Amino acid sequence: EIPEITWSRDKSRRRLAYYDPALNRIVVSKFFDSHRVPQYVLEYLTFHELLHMKHRTLFQRGKSMRRLVHTSKFKQEEEKFEKSREAEAWLKNF
């Protein structure tokens, strides 16, 4: 099922976007609700969160129960986004 895509309530610079599986919703920081943000950046954030729907979080055994969110398969698929490098560069400098 296609998730709803919505803006967050606040203009967070720490949490750029996230996927909420309970509500099947992608929430993008209100910070990006600006004409100055390139369209490909919004598309990249959405693509990234859609990948979280596909690639579930892995938990490593042991005391820490460390979460592995961005696996190598996740990163490989993320690079398939046509402007992934440009989007990452823009996000680093925002």
Side-chain angles (χ1 to χ4, degrees):
E1 188 175 330
I2 297 172
E4 174 188 9
I5 301 173
T6 187
W7 297 113
S8 65
R9 292 184 190 140
D10 58 336
K11 293 185 175 186
S12 175
R13 288 181 170 212
R14 292 194 73 201
R15 193 171 199 186
L16 309 183
Y18 65 92
Y19 171 64
D20 182 342
L23 298 174
N24 192 34
R25 179 183 295 162
I26 293 174
V27 181
V28 179
S29 173
K30 189 96 170 149
F31 176 81
F32 296 103
D33 186 11
S34 168
H35 67 280
R36 290 176 278 171
V37 178
Q39 183 69 30
Y40 68 88
V41 171
L42 294 172
E43 292 169 359
Y44 175 75
L45 289 170
T46 304
F47 182 79
H48 178 95
E49 296 310 321
L50 286 169
L51 287 176
H52 282 298
M53 289 178 66
K54 182 178 180 181
H55 298 273
R56 299 293 178 195
T57 301
L58 301 176
F59 293 91
Q60 294 179 335
R61 295 186 186 269
K63 289 182 181 179
S64 67
M65 283 298 286
R66 193 176 127 206
R67 293 182 326 143
L68 189 56
V69 179
H70 301 116
T71 63
S72 58
K73 284 185 180 184
F74 182 102
K75 291 176 184 178
Q76 286 172 352
E77 284 199 52
E78 188 176 43
E79 288 177 7
K80 291 179 181 178
F81 184 81
E82 188 176 323
K83 293 189 173 186
S84 64
R85 288 199 172 104
E86 292 96 317
E88 285 287 339
W90 191 93
L91 289 167
K92 276 186 181 179
N93 294 311
F94 89 93

